[in-house]
Amino acid sequence: MPDLAIRVENLSKQYKIGVSQERYRTLRETLVEGVRAPLRRFSPANRLSAANGAERNRIWALRGITFDVRKGQVLGVIGRNGAGKSTLLKILSRVTDPTEGYAEIHGRVGSLLEVGTGFHPELTGRENILLNGAILGMKRTEIERKFDEIVAFSEVEQFIDTPVKRYSSGMYLRLAFAVAAHLEPEILVVDEVLAVGDAEFQRKCLGKMSDVAQEGRTVLFVSHNMSAILRLTEETIVLDKGQLVMRAPTAAAVDYYLSSGYAQTGERVWTADEIPPEAAPFRPQSLRVLNASHRVVDMVRSTEPVTVEIEYALSAPVSGLRVGVYLLTTRGEQAFTSFDTDDAELYERFATRPAGHYISRFTLPPDFLNEGRYVIGVNASTFRVKRYFIDEQALIFTVDPAGAPGMQWQEPRIGVMRPRLEWQIEAL
Amino acid sequence: MSQTTITHRSSEEILVLRPSRGWSALNLIDLWRYRELIYFLIWRDVKVRYKQTALGASWAIIQPFVTMVVFTILFGNLAKMPSDGIPYPLFSYTGLLPWGLFTKALSDAGRSMITNRSMITKVYFPRLAIPLASVLSGLVDFALAFVVLIGMILFYNYNPNLEYQVVLTPAILTLPLFLVLALITSLGVGLWLSALNVQYRDINYIIPFLTQFWLFITPIAYPASMIPEKWQLLYALNPMAGVVEGFRWALLGADTAPGPMVAVSALIAVILMVTGLYYFRRMERTFADEV
């Protein structure tokens, strides 16, 4: 097939868990194992248990992934942490070997698993551009040709001869991204590099990325930022626990990803093993969506009020605690963020919350949300001090538009809101 | 990575990534493609090495020079160590030059895979570039220290109060060969240590100990002629012995050409480098996962 850029066939990668926990072996362990191994061979029972143990200490970060990417296609890759996204990109950018299967890449690959790889704090901006460019595989003449463009993009002209250790973190990132953005491979493999920096910088990076996409280059793009995925890609694959679970047009894949794994009951209960130890003294218990008649539901009507309750316990008093929600659509659009102590009076009254059992509750007014599916995320934190708990995809519910304004026209309405506005029509 | 095969079909590069097992080819073509990266890594090493030091690059001279002074006082004057008829300062400094290159390679290349961990886990390039650049960047220090040696030779030649005269013989033309031998030895040991260090951090503790031990078995403070005749070839199994003797012969015109000794040293050096290359290549595919 002449128009194929990447072909991935049954690709798998196994990691030893021990490696990530202990990071490295000592010589003594290897010597001891070397002495023990031959002895062990005499006992079949031992050998069996050793084999089981070895299997248990390994995990498949990727298992039997098969897909292909056409030339000029921009393919998104999404999945939860640990789903295997980074492993996939590492294999495709030749950082690590697959354990099974193979991948075929047609053309020159450039990979951006990180910006600023190999940056040295003692070197100046100018020197780091040359070094980083070479590390990313650019030819010296190529770097020199693009040098001015890179500097202009980074907006650090007046500090270009200053060691980067004196840069602010924003300047550092801008310079690092600027070099990376001027890579011109036929196939670009990009990890979460846009998730850094301030909003202005992110906008700029995103703009550059969509330029790249429009130039007809093949891009494999991993991100947690659903709006970036939606904006840049047309098709997306979803990874879950090392397996490819879906390949679909991006909107459908994002919807699937955001809504997969939730029982559609209208209630989310956190079990002990889902709560990280750092959350203490905050312990989330449940999150519920209630309709106008106070029943727990997974489908609410747009024309009725919707109540959301977060139930939690505090094992010790917490000062300045705010418990709140994010609401976003399964298309990845942010609707709003709200906290229980947003109100100044409540903020004063609950300046310190004593240990105990709580419910924080709010009600959305009728005629507020448009039809569609919504994801509720939960956040419990003390501003600028500590984030106790976060679950960005705690619960999902559906809004039914029956009776909402404009239903006489059978068309989907764009937007998160579906307000009933007091229109007036005057004939003049 | 390892079993990567690049084929050209209708002017398009096709890269096949598949699991690699056992011993793999050296893939030196890939290393050649990345020669600019090796150059930049050497350049970075040199640029960064003496940043924020008060004395800067003069450290490259101070280290061997002060060692030479100490050796001269302790071994030359007090212990009356023989030095093959060469003034002791010149004798020891000539040995310290390739020795400095070697020890720097031992410690820098040995740790290079760890210090460059962030690059190894994020970008592809032939991993060999890292220890290679570490070894080669030692040449800059070597060149600086060499200038001092030239000064010393001139001093001994034109000082009428000294009866010793350095006789420059055609042997000096062989000096580059001995330098290459020093580099091969350094690279061989550096490759072994760097690859082992990824898996066994014990290497970090072994390096200083190894350096000290190796100094004792290398003829720097004493002449190789002190070693009994029948043990000479065994002694030459240390490739640095051949290198140091070769340097003295080429530069100072020490009487005996180090024939069989250099041959043995060169053979061992080449074995070290070739096995080092293959071991490094074999371990390479796990570097990103284990480092």
Side-chain angles (χ1 to χ4, degrees):
Chain A
M1 272 179 284
D3 62 338
L4 212 59
I6 302 176
R7 192 154 75 95
V8 172
E9 196 74 47
N10 202 25
L11 204 67
S12 301
K13 174 79 185 181
Q14 195 179 45
Y15 280 110
K16 287 180 230 155
I17 316 178
V19 171
S20 63
Q21 280 170 351
E22 291 164 25
R23 298 205 60 84
Y24 55 87
R25 285 200 286 180
T26 63
L27 202 53
R28 187 176 61 89
E29 283 164 1
T30 307
L31 295 178
V32 170
E33 265 172 42
V35 174
R36 275 194 198 146
L39 298 176
R40 210 181 280 133
R41 215 174 296 155
F42 293 111
S43 154
N46 277 352
R47 196 167 53 188
L48 203 64
S49 73
N52 280 345
E55 194 55 36
R56 226 178 297 126
N57 286 331
R58 290 160 196 273
I59 49 154
W60 288 97
L62 271 190
R63 195 82 213 242
I65 302 276
T66 301
F67 67 93
D68 49 40
V69 187
R70 290 186 313 280
K71 286 233 162 81
Q73 188 179 20
V74 182
L75 185 73
V77 181
I78 56 180
R80 267 163 245 280
N81 289 332
K85 308 183 296 286
S86 300
T87 307
L88 176 64
L89 293 200
K90 275 190 178 179
I91 294 173
L92 292 181
S93 42
R94 302 169 75 191
V95 167
T96 187
D97 267 11
T99 310
E100 285 172 13
Y102 75 97
E104 220 178 81
I105 297 175
H106 301 234
R108 200 161 73 100
V109 174
S111 66
L112 279 183
L113 303 192
E114 177 189 72
V115 293
T117 305
F119 261 42
H120 198 289
E122 296 284 353
L123 296 178
T124 66
R126 180 187 304 277
E127 293 164 340
N128 269 312
I129 291 178
L130 297 175
L131 179 66
N132 187 232
I135 290 170
L136 292 175
M138 288 159 95
K139 291 258 164 278
R140 194 183 176 165
T141 48
E142 192 182 344
I143 307 170
E144 276 162 4
R145 200 177 63 238
K146 291 181 187 156
F147 190 85
D148 293 335
E149 217 179 310
I150 293 173
V151 175
F153 188 87
S154 70
E155 301 169 15
V156 295
E157 287 96 336
Q158 66 265 53
F159 302 103
I160 200 67
D161 290 310
T162 308
V164 298
K165 66 178 175 182
R166 309 214 192 286
Y167 280 29
S168 71
S169 57
M171 286 158 62
Y172 184 96
L173 281 174
R174 282 207 300 277
L175 183 66
F177 187 84
V179 186
H182 289 81
L183 256 182
E184 279 180 354
E186 289 148 343
I187 301 169
L188 188 63
V189 172
V190 193
D191 203 352
E192 205 71 65
V193 285
L194 304 176
V196 291
D198 53 34
E200 176 55 35
F201 177 65
Q202 286 196 14
R203 233 193 319 280
K204 197 167 170 179
C205 296
L206 216 56
K208 185 76 193 176
M209 285 297 304
S210 59
D211 290 351
V212 170
Q214 270 150 30
E215 280 163 20
R217 262 180 277 167
T218 313
V219 184
L220 208 62
F221 180 55
V222 164
S223 183
H224 277 117
N225 180 341
M226 291 303 140
S227 51
I229 287 273
L230 282 158
R231 186 172 145 192
L232 295 177
T233 70
E234 280 171 7
E235 206 175 7
T236 292
I237 58 176
V238 184
L239 299 184
D240 187 34
K241 297 189 185 85
Q243 291 181 319
L244 196 154
V245 290
M246 185 183 214
R247 175 177 187 156
T250 297
V254 168
D255 180 82
Y256 172 84
Y257 164 67
L258 288 175
S259 53
S260 62
Y262 311 103
Q264 306 277 307
T265 59
E267 181 168 21
R268 168 69 187 272
V269 177
W270 284 279
T271 56
D273 61 314
E274 288 175 306
I275 306 166
E278 314 88 81
F282 182 88
R283 188 161 54 84
Q285 292 173 324
S286 58
L287 172 73
R288 285 182 288 274
V289 174
L290 308 164
N291 66 7
S293 44
H294 298 287
R295 287 238 303 279
V296 175
V297 287
D298 68 337
M299 161 103 57
V300 295
R301 296 188 57 182
S302 172
T303 54
E304 287 182 355
V306 182
T307 301
V308 175
E309 284 184 354
I310 311 164
E311 196 177 335
Y312 53 95
L314 296 178
S315 56
V318 180
S319 294
L321 180 68
R322 50 179 202 175
V323 179
V325 296
Y326 312 113
L327 195 75
L328 67 153
T329 69
T330 53
R331 293 183 301 276
E333 304 148 319
Q334 301 280 346
F336 64 79
T337 303
S338 182
F339 287 100
D340 59 355
T341 46
D342 281 350
D343 180 72
E345 195 201 319
L346 281 174
Y347 173 71
E348 289 293 323
R349 187 136 62 93
F350 288 95
T352 298
R353 243 176 270 199
H357 186 197
Y358 294 88
I359 285 185
S360 292
R361 177 190 298 125
F362 68 88
T363 301
L364 292 178
D367 299 315
F368 186 77
L369 292 174
N370 196 1
E371 71 180 295
R373 279 139 50 83
Y374 292 83
V375 182
I376 309 178
V378 172
N379 176 320
S381 54
T382 299
F383 184 58
R384 285 200 173 147
V385 176
K386 187 178 174 188
R387 190 165 73 188
Y388 297 98
F389 180 75
I390 186 164
D391 184 342
E392 286 181 321
Q393 291 154 38
L395 183 64
I396 193 157
F397 67 95
T398 307
V399 174
D400 183 282
M407 284 304 285
Q408 61 273 40
W409 296 292
Q410 296 208 339
E411 59 176 5
R413 283 282 165 100
I414 294 164
V416 177
M417 298 182 71
R418 187 104 181 203
R420 190 180 297 275
L421 302 177
E422 300 265 326
W423 281 93
Q424 288 170 355
I425 304 171
E426 278 178 44
L428 297 173
Chain B
M1 194 134 74
S2 309
Q3 277 276 327
T4 300
T5 45
I6 297 169
T7 44
H8 295 264
R9 195 199 300 160
S10 63
S11 81
E12 184 189 65
E13 276 185 18
I14 300 175
L15 198 66
V16 182
L17 314 171
R18 55 171 84 247
S20 47
R21 291 190 175 83
W23 302 99
S24 37
L26 285 179
N27 203 0
L28 296 178
I29 297 165
D30 214 22
L31 197 63
W32 175 247
R33 287 183 169 202
Y34 276 82
R35 60 191 180 279
E36 283 188 353
L37 177 63
I38 299 173
Y39 163 76
F40 273 113
L41 289 175
I42 295 172
W43 172 81
R44 177 192 68 173
D45 248 29
V46 172
K47 276 247 166 189
V48 167
R49 196 172 315 143
Y50 299 112
K51 284 242 171 160
Q52 235 177 28
T53 57
L55 298 178
S58 32
W59 277 113
I61 295 165
I62 293 169
Q63 284 169 348
F65 197 81
V66 171
T67 315
M68 178 271 288
V69 170
V70 172
F71 276 19
T72 303
I73 294 169
L74 283 180
F75 299 110
N77 293 354
L78 296 177
K80 302 270 183 257
M81 188 75 78
S83 54
D84 289 346
I86 300 163
Y88 195 86
L90 205 52
F91 172 83
S92 60
Y93 193 80
T94 310
L96 284 165
L97 277 189
W99 179 251
L101 189 66
F102 177 69
T103 50
K104 190 199 161 289
L106 222 67
S107 61
D108 285 10
R111 294 192 177 92
S112 60
M113 300 307 283
I114 313 297
T115 46
N116 290 293
R117 174 193 291 146
S118 65
M119 275 169 63
I120 293 166
T121 55
K122 296 294 181 190
V123 185
Y124 170 79
F125 54 89
R127 304 318 191 195
L128 274 172
I130 285 184
L132 190 61
S134 280
V135 170
L136 292 179
S137 74
L139 281 174
V140 176
D141 283 16
F142 177 85
L144 289 174
F146 196 82
V147 172
V148 173
L149 180 70
I150 294 173
M152 284 172 71
I153 291 176
L154 292 178
F155 172 79
Y156 278 98
N157 255 12
Y158 295 105
N159 194 331
N161 299 330
L162 298 166
E163 69 264 37
Y164 176 78
Q165 288 274 304
V166 178
V167 189
L168 289 186
T169 60
I172 197 163
L173 297 176
T174 60
L175 187 69
L177 295 180
F178 291 109
L179 182 58
V180 168
L181 188 60
L183 288 174
I184 289 177
T185 310
S186 306
L187 186 62
V189 179
L191 285 172
W192 272 101
L193 291 178
S194 59
L196 283 167
N197 206 353
V198 172
Q199 232 186 343
Y200 308 109
R201 298 297 151 89
D202 305 74
I203 298 302
N204 281 334
Y205 303 98
I206 290 175
I207 287 171
F209 167 73
L210 191 68
T211 310
Q212 205 177 24
F213 171 75
W214 212 305
L215 177 65
F216 294 139
I217 60 165
T218 305
I220 293 185
Y222 58 89
S225 56
M226 268 177 77
I227 307 291
E229 192 71 37
K230 56 177 175 174
W231 299 114
Q232 286 273 347
L233 286 185
L234 184 68
Y235 184 70
L237 288 180
N238 166 14
M240 285 310 288
V243 168
V244 169
E245 283 298 295
F247 260 69
R248 287 198 183 122
W249 174 71
L251 278 168
L252 308 176
D255 349 320
T256 46
M261 199 170 163
V262 166
V264 171
S265 288
L267 183 68
I268 297 292
V270 169
I271 290 174
L272 258 178
M273 187 182 71
V274 172
T275 55
L277 279 170
Y278 277 98
Y279 181 71
F280 189 94
R281 282 288 296 167
R282 185 186 165 89
M283 299 314 289
E284 187 178 50
R285 73 184 89 106
T286 62
F287 284 169
D289 301 338
E290 301 221 351
V291 72

